[in-house]
Amino acid sequence: MSSSRMLLMYFLQLLVGLATTLVMVQGQGQLMRVGFYSRTCPAAESIVKQTIQTHFNSNPSVAPGLLRMHFHDCFKTAGPNLGLRGWEVIDDAKTKLEAACPGVVSCADILALAARDSVVLTKGFTWNVPTGRKDGRVSLATETSNLPGFRDSIDVQKAKFQELGLNTQDLVTLFFRYRLYNFTTTGNGADETINPLFLAQLRSICPENGDTARRVDLDTGSASRFDATFFTNLKNGRGILESDQKLWTDATTKSFVQRFLGVRGLQALNFNVEFGKSMVKMSNIGVKSAANGEIRRICSAVN
């Protein structure tokens, strides 16, 4: 999964100016803020950053994997979470933090910081991350049912975002094979919104009876860089997932895609800036406080 693709279905946007040096968020009786660990574990953010950098140097694909994990942050054996990557990176950072500051830094905060650092490593903009979350005591597979699906209609996707206080701009800011051969019962069987030349390219990569486990970059032409090329691909009919391409064909979301593309006559949006704002908004959903959370010893397992 490409780094830019993660922006699609991964919840985002809020009232945080990136130039602000201190951001405070009230979450269920707990005050989160930028620099939460400045006294209790001053090296926390640098330890996370250095750990992500080390793993990224060995395997750049950990960057989009960590960004996706921040979105899914739930029960790793649930259907929508199959294929998540990066658990070993988070556990490595946790091990180092436990050695430096035992029982202080939560896994939820490590993941929020790791997502930001992953974006920066793939040439995206940075943003301030409010910290101070606690980890949940229970992980439920049923909680993944509200994750946007790759075949969801735009109305369903918007409803799932709205349930968590996120709007249509958040949806656009964040957010196969069946599309190539079995999408329709007439014609060539492909989704007609796919650019014909791109369809031929995809079919050559994914023949009808070929390897179903083969990976395809979901942000063609910019797979290793965090940028707004994804939206250009949608305009040109080169979105891989059905839910992606719908962002261009649905009128309510198309205008936001056009604003990210700088279409004349519309108020332009800077994708990198809006992404940082939305990441903060997403990371404030369901924050756990000391009253209903904990500090896990191992991030990939409930204590």
Side-chain angles (χ1 to χ4, degrees):
M1 183 167 286
S2 72
S3 54
S4 299
R5 155 63 187 159
M6 303 307 127
L7 37 116
L8 234 319
M9 295 196 308
Y10 305 178
F11 297 148
L12 300 100
Q13 186 192 55
L14 178 69
L15 333 149
V16 171
L18 297 184
T20 304
T21 57
L22 181 63
V23 180
M24 292 188 176
V25 180
Q26 188 69 36
Q28 298 187 8
Q30 171 177 293
L31 190 64
M32 294 200 307
R33 66 179 186 276
V34 173
F36 181 86
Y37 298 108
S38 60
R39 293 185 178 181
T40 56
C41 191
E45 294 199 24
S46 62
I47 289 174
V48 173
K49 180 179 180 180
Q50 291 167 9
T51 303
I52 305 306
Q53 177 78 68
T54 298
H55 285 269
F56 178 82
N57 290 344
S58 300
N59 178 15
S61 71
V62 302
L66 291 170
L67 190 53
R68 183 185 178 208
M69 189 185 296
H70 186 39
F71 170 59
H72 282 249
D73 191 15
C74 188
F75 189 66
K76 70 177 180 178
T77 57
N81 289 344
L82 296 179
L84 288 183
R85 293 178 295 161
W87 297 101
E88 74 286 354
V89 182
I90 300 301
D91 279 343
D92 187 16
K94 178 63 171 176
T95 298
K96 290 180 171 63
L97 285 165
E98 285 297 300
C101 319
V104 173
V105 183
S106 70
C107 297
D109 277 344
I110 294 173
L111 193 50
L113 293 168
R116 186 268 310 277
D117 294 340
S118 294
V119 168
V120 174
L121 284 171
T122 50
K123 310 304 180 184
F125 286 14
T126 190
W127 64 89
N128 291 320
V129 178
T131 47
R133 303 164 182 79
K134 294 297 186 291
D135 300 315
R137 294 193 177 98
V138 178
S139 290
L140 298 174
T142 55
E143 291 182 354
T144 63
S145 62
N146 64 351
L147 292 172
F150 64 92
R151 299 198 69 172
D152 283 349
S153 67
I154 289 295
D155 286 341
V156 170
Q157 292 187 59
K158 288 194 296 184
K160 289 181 176 180
F161 273 60
Q162 289 169 0
E163 287 175 3
L164 295 174
L166 302 172
N167 58 33
T168 302
Q169 181 177 327
D170 297 328
L171 169 64
V172 178
T173 307
L174 298 171
F175 210 60
F176 134 63
R177 174 187 297 266
Y178 72 96
R179 294 188 71 209
L180 306 184
Y181 301 101
N182 302 308
F183 192 81
T184 66
T185 57
T186 60
N188 64 4
D191 183 345
E192 62 183 12
T193 63
I194 302 176
N195 179 299
L197 295 177
F198 190 45
L199 173 63
Q201 179 183 337
L202 292 176
R203 281 181 165 176
S204 69
I205 297 173
C206 301
E208 188 166 11
N209 298 310
D211 181 6
T212 59
R214 185 168 183 177
R215 291 182 178 272
V216 177
D217 290 330
L218 297 179
D219 183 20
T220 56
S222 185
S224 62
R225 187 180 180 89
F226 190 89
D227 56 25
T229 300
F230 173 82
F231 299 113
T232 302
N233 287 340
L234 298 186
K235 176 184 176 182
N236 295 328
R238 297 172 66 89
I240 297 294
L241 298 184
E242 182 182 353
S243 57
D244 293 354
Q245 195 58 49
K246 285 176 180 176
L247 295 177
W248 180 256
T249 58
D250 183 272
T252 61
T253 53
K254 182 177 180 178
S255 62
F256 287 106
V257 176
Q258 291 174 315
R259 290 174 69 185
F260 282 126
L261 290 173
V263 172
R264 185 175 300 177
L266 296 176
Q267 183 178 2
L269 288 171
N270 184 305
F271 169 69
N272 278 286
V273 172
E274 297 305 320
F275 187 84
K277 293 178 182 179
S278 290
M279 282 296 288
V280 174
K281 187 174 182 179
M282 180 196 74
S283 66
N284 291 333
I285 296 171
V287 171
K288 304 296 183 185
S289 66
N292 59 3
E294 64 179 3
I295 301 294
R296 293 187 183 182
R297 296 188 299 274
I298 300 175
C299 292
S300 57
V302 178
N303 289 346

